[in-house]
Amino acid sequence: MTMRKASLIQGNRACTEGALAAGVRFYAGYPITPSTEIAEIMSEELPKLGGKFVQMEDEIAGMACILGAALTGKKVLTASSGPGISLKQEAIGYAAMAEIPCVIVNVQRLGPSTGGPTSSAQGDIMQARWGTHGDHPIIALCPSSVYECFTLTVTAVNFAEKFRTPVYVLLDEIVGHMRENVELPTYEEIKIIDRKKPTCAPKEYKPYKIDESMIPAMADFGTGYKWHVTGLFHDETGFPTGKTDVIDSQLNRLMTKFSKYEDEILLWEENQLEDAEILLVAYGSTARSALDAIETLRNEGIKVGLFRPITIWPFPEKVLRGKLEKLKHIIVPEMNYGQLMLEVERVCKDKVSVSGLFKVNGLPITPDEIIAKVREVL
Amino acid sequence: MRPDLHHLFRIDKLPHIWCPGCGHGIITRTIGEAIAESDLDLEQTVIVSGIGCSSRASGYMNFDTLHTLHGRALAFATGVKLSNPQLNVFVLTGDGDATAIGGNHFIHAARRNINLNVILFNNNIYGMTGGQYSPLTPTGKMATTSPYGNIENNFDIPALAIASGASYVARGTAFHDKLLVDCIKEGIKNKGFSLIEAMSMCPTSYGRRNKMGTPADMLNDLKTSAVNINVAKKLTPEKLEGKFLIGTLHHKPYREFTEEYDKLIDRLRKEDI
Ligand SMILES: Cc1ncc(C[n+]2csc(CCOP(=O)(O)OP(=O)(O)O)c2C)c(N)n1
Ligand code: SF4
Ligand SMILES: [Mg+2]
């Protein structure tokens, strides 16, 4: 697998290749457009690698099934879209609570409900953050090219393993179905992270006891550690507790467990931001239109730049706040009614005014529409 | 408890949360006995449960234990077993957990004939949430959500399991505990989906509301309502009116899911050479 030639491949395929390269060996899910190619490719590739694929009876089962597999030590992934992602929410909360590494690929389609199966959207930004009940940590990454579908799925698997958390890869239908001629990294070129395993004797093992890393070591089922996993509030031994001070400190740790890793987790890209007066904050396929618009506007001497959050959750708020000095206005184009704009506003509005450009009809936001919006605010 | 079973339980987690007179403790003990008598590698044994009073049993058992979500134990267990078929996987579930919210997973796990040992604690009620009717609450019985008597029909769990593809199906009760141990042991031996319906009792949320007397009276009801399948063969339909069968009700081994998957992996490896 050393030599990889450039080839014309789809975002969903690149995502699957990334998963396999990162070491994913278990997939469970239920077919749904526009994510189905991921299941299909997995069903073909996994058994060849000694891995397992299973088409479950619904998305709830798909999510639960990968968590069971993750507990035996496998790297796991499931993919779905809109209605299916909604069904998975309870088990995603379980993964956050019990700290089980897993990756959920959401190829976003137009919602709510059955909505538009083959239409693109970016309407699940807030669902990714708050879709399951209760306060919980989450990481969500958002590729905007076929190449990134590969690299960010590798990163997602690594983050899941390192931080013992569910991680979303948020594609939109356009990115998932888009074909680009790409040369994917070789296996030698990518960095792989495995979860930390306990080194103590089984008798001493406390599955939720942390060291300075904040992330507890995780034993594989079947290796003699005999530990208990539950979605109930538990203490560091893993057993349920009703003690409010323990609940308090456990949830506190959960909510802050990535904080010291922000430098590693927060990913973003900038384009012509240094002298920009107007900033576009765009992600996924919309960022591609934004880049196009910037080129046209710059040729006219209009100082426009791009900030593209790649890590959507946690939102790179400190990074963005550090870029506001010369800005006169921020525009957030997105294929929803302002889900990320709310976040940008929260972070920036005391220094710079923010407006949105929304389109929620299944069609992409075009460069011309962005150009028109920029002219409007000039 | 038999001292030779102590190592199978987390004695330090006792006392348990169950009410005095609850049948779930007896059934949990029979699972321990069956494991003790089955020569299983205890470090290679995983207990998965859903949510409910019955599903709390996993926390008292000294294995890798996975207390999951309401209804989803079989879906989690499918992931555990498929990803590592060496593991002996038990699923402890309630009548509500397995046949209401988890009904879909129940029929599909049985259809795959995946090698899981499922012990379904049937107390005919949602015990944990205070006594709402379940798909196993008999027609006419009182529950907090059937205050005028239940007008719905019940599942026949063994029939459901057999029709869905389970290769071993049996029933025991909290009274017939020796038989229950034997059934669980047979289930362990069966390489496929084994469903053991364990008739339990919930004096707190079901017995009291239906004026079924003391826990001892409820246990006696289990004794008198159950007929061993071998005895039943000689009885007339009139004699069997209002009774339920216990013992091994179905045993037909056939292709098991995780073995078929491993065969597929082997086949692809050979084709690759
Ligand atoms: C998704 C979801 N819905 C509802 C509940 C509430 N709930 C917890 S246990 C239970 C019923 C359990 O009944 P059963 O499975 O028969 O177990 P028992 O308590 O009777 O042993 C219900 C409805 C829940 N925990 N999760
Ligand atoms: S409520 Fe019923 S099922 Fe639950 S512990 Fe009490 S007696 Fe047992
Ligand atoms: Mg019940």
Side-chain angles (χ1 to χ4, degrees):
Chain A
M1 286 264 197
T2 349
M3 282 298 287
R4 274 168 187 264
K5 289 198 200 84
S7 55
L8 187 66
I9 63 167
Q10 197 187 49
N12 281 349
R13 173 170 283 276
C15 179
T16 317
E17 300 260 347
L20 296 172
V24 168
R25 289 297 177 268
F26 195 98
Y27 180 101
Y30 192 84
I32 184 167
T33 307
S35 74
T36 305
E37 294 85 2
I38 298 175
E40 289 170 343
I41 301 166
M42 283 293 194
S43 72
E44 192 177 336
E45 298 302 327
L46 276 171
K48 291 194 223 161
L49 297 167
K52 305 280 169 73
F53 164 93
V54 57
Q55 183 170 303
M56 294 299 283
E57 47 276 15
D58 58 33
E59 288 86 349
I60 303 174
M63 192 65 216
C65 189
I66 63 166
L67 298 183
L71 285 162
T72 74
K74 297 289 188 312
K75 293 184 181 179
V76 302
L77 179 140
T78 188
S80 190
S81 184
I85 297 291
S86 294
L87 284 177
K88 289 181 190 297
Q89 290 303 327
E90 189 192 15
I92 292 171
Y94 186 91
M97 180 68 144
E99 301 182 64
I100 305 175
C102 58
V103 174
I104 306 110
V105 179
N106 177 1
V107 189
Q108 296 168 87
R109 64 191 236 176
L110 196 58
S113 189
T114 311
T118 56
S119 305
S120 195
Q122 296 175 316
D124 306 345
I125 298 299
M126 280 299 168
Q127 183 196 43
R129 182 62 198 92
W130 299 116
T132 194
H133 55 285
D135 292 286
H136 58 277
I138 202 85
I139 297 176
L141 307 177
C142 194
S144 66
S145 67
V146 170
Y147 185 83
E148 264 189 0
C149 284
F150 179 96
T151 54
L152 290 181
T153 305
V154 174
T155 306
V157 176
N158 284 343
F159 283 174
E161 295 292 316
K162 177 163 180 180
F163 303 117
R164 285 189 63 175
T165 180
V167 179
Y168 276 104
V169 184
L170 285 178
L171 278 60
D172 51 63
E173 186 275 340
I174 295 170
V175 172
H177 279 164
M178 174 168 67
R179 284 170 204 272
E180 287 184 296
N181 200 28
V182 289
E183 195 176 330
L184 297 177
T186 63
Y187 278 31
E188 286 74 24
E189 282 162 354
I190 59 175
K191 190 176 122 205
I192 304 264
I193 300 177
D194 296 321
R195 71 185 69 157
K196 187 168 67 184
K197 303 230 170 121
T199 49
C200 63
K203 269 205 160 41
E204 265 94 66
Y205 181 50
K206 291 197 176 130
Y208 295 96
K209 187 176 162 63
I210 50 160
D211 51 21
E212 63 288 351
S213 79
M214 297 290 278
I215 315 295
M218 186 170 168
D220 295 349
F221 275 7
T223 57
Y225 282 85
K226 295 187 181 174
W227 60 297
H228 186 60
V229 186
T230 179
L232 287 168
F233 270 108
H234 44 267
D235 60 20
E236 60 180 19
T237 68
F239 288 94
T241 180
K243 289 188 189 132
T244 48
D245 55 330
V246 179
I247 293 174
D248 206 52
S249 70
Q250 278 294 336
L251 191 54
N252 235 306
R253 177 182 68 79
L254 266 189
M255 292 306 289
T256 54
K257 75 175 180 176
F258 316 139
S259 304
K260 64 185 273 188
Y261 297 99
E262 285 207 338
D263 286 349
E264 188 180 344
I265 293 174
L266 299 182
L267 308 169
W268 74 93
E269 187 189 66
E270 298 171 14
N271 186 284
Q272 306 188 62
L273 219 157
E274 305 72 33
D275 64 340
E277 290 173 356
I278 307 263
L279 178 68
L280 303 175
V281 177
Y283 53 95
S285 64
T286 308
R288 302 169 73 98
S289 296
L291 280 176
D292 217 89
I294 289 170
E295 205 181 308
T296 308
L297 291 163
R298 283 272 169 181
N299 283 337
E300 294 175 20
I302 301 170
K303 292 181 176 163
V304 193
L306 171 73
F307 180 82
R308 176 169 74 92
I310 296 171
T311 306
I312 296 273
W313 304 117
F315 187 71
E317 71 177 76
K318 275 193 218 123
V319 182
L320 182 56
R321 264 191 89 79
K323 315 278 176 197
L324 304 180
E325 223 45 56
K326 299 192 186 111
L327 294 180
K328 295 202 173 119
H329 189 70
I330 297 175
I331 298 170
V332 187
E334 49 184 339
M335 286 186 278
N336 62 49
Y337 283 106
Q339 296 189 15
L340 201 72
M341 187 199 75
L342 279 176
E343 192 68 6
V344 173
E345 229 175 23
R346 183 182 68 76
V347 172
C348 306
K349 73 172 173 205
D350 62 325
K351 294 201 162 164
V352 187
S353 57
V354 179
S355 63
L357 169 59
F358 313 135
K359 193 166 173 185
V360 195
N361 61 4
L363 293 173
I365 297 175
T366 63
D368 282 348
E369 286 164 332
I370 296 175
I371 291 166
K373 178 75 189 180
V374 171
R375 291 197 207 288
E376 204 181 285
V377 301
L378 271 179
Chain B
M1 194 195 297
R2 278 164 48 184
D4 61 325
L5 297 181
H6 279 192
H7 66 295
L8 301 177
F9 293 93
R10 290 168 172 144
I11 304 288
D12 61 321
K13 297 297 168 214
L14 299 175
H16 54 64
I17 59 153
W18 296 312
C19 309
C22 177
H24 290 350
I26 301 173
I27 292 162
T28 306
R29 190 246 302 153
T30 65
I31 299 167
E33 283 185 46
I35 291 175
E37 293 167 20
S38 293
D39 196 29
L40 294 180
D41 182 343
L42 305 181
E43 299 199 342
Q44 293 281 303
T45 299
V46 177
I47 316 266
V48 185
S49 64
I51 295 289
C53 295
S54 37
S55 290
R56 280 301 195 96
S58 60
Y60 304 117
M61 304 193 68
N62 193 19
F63 301 87
D64 283 319
T65 49
L66 176 54
H67 177 233
T68 66
L69 294 167
H70 193 32
R72 316 300 168 199
L74 281 163
F76 277 82
T78 298
V80 173
K81 182 70 186 176
L82 179 60
S83 70
N84 184 358
Q86 306 307 318
L87 299 173
N88 313 302
V89 183
F90 289 78
V91 177
L92 316 188
T93 176
D95 47 318
D97 198 61
T99 70
I101 192 164
N104 200 23
H105 312 311
F106 183 82
I107 58 174
H108 287 279
R111 175 181 61 78
R112 292 186 187 98
N113 193 31
I114 182 167
N115 190 1
L116 300 172
N117 307 307
V118 184
I119 294 98
L120 194 159
F121 297 52
N122 181 5
N123 56 5
N124 307 100
I125 200 80
Y126 289 164
M128 174 146 272
T129 41
Q132 300 74 32
Y133 70 89
S134 91
L136 273 306
T137 303
T139 310
K141 292 292 184 185
M142 307 300 268
T144 60
T145 47
S146 60
Y148 308 111
N150 182 19
I151 58 168
E152 292 193 23
N153 309 312
N154 306 152
F155 273 131
D156 175 340
I157 292 175
L160 181 65
I162 295 165
S164 306
S167 48
Y168 180 82
V169 178
R171 190 192 274 131
T173 82
F175 178 83
H176 305 85
D177 57 334
K178 289 275 174 296
L179 176 82
L180 190 52
V181 173
D182 288 341
C183 291
I184 298 170
K185 280 162 67 181
E186 283 305 308
I188 292 171
K189 274 192 228 149
N190 176 53
K191 273 196 184 168
F193 190 87
S194 302
L195 183 274
I196 292 98
E197 181 182 7
M199 299 304 296
S200 186
M201 50 188 212
C202 171
T204 306
S205 299
Y206 181 67
R208 212 168 35 175
R209 192 161 288 109
N210 285 289
K211 307 201 166 35
M212 296 172 79
T214 64
D217 294 331
M218 291 182 80
L219 209 52
N220 199 48
D221 280 350
L222 289 176
K223 177 186 171 189
T224 53
S225 314
V227 180
N228 192 296
I229 184 159
N230 298 322
V231 177
K233 281 173 191 151
K234 295 166 218 149
L235 297 180
T236 58
E238 294 79 54
K239 279 250 152 78
L240 288 171
E241 187 66 31
K243 309 274 185 194
F244 61 80
L245 300 181
I246 54 173
T248 293
L249 308 176
H250 173 83
H251 191 195
K252 263 198 194 142
Y254 69 110
R255 28 182 283 144
E256 190 272 335
F257 181 55
T258 63
E259 282 186 0
E260 293 302 313
Y261 208 103
D262 284 341
K263 281 187 210 160
L264 169 66
I265 291 175
D266 275 350
R267 199 175 88 209
L268 294 174
R269 269 204 191 115
K270 282 186 194 119
E271 280 170 16
D272 205 32
I273 298 166

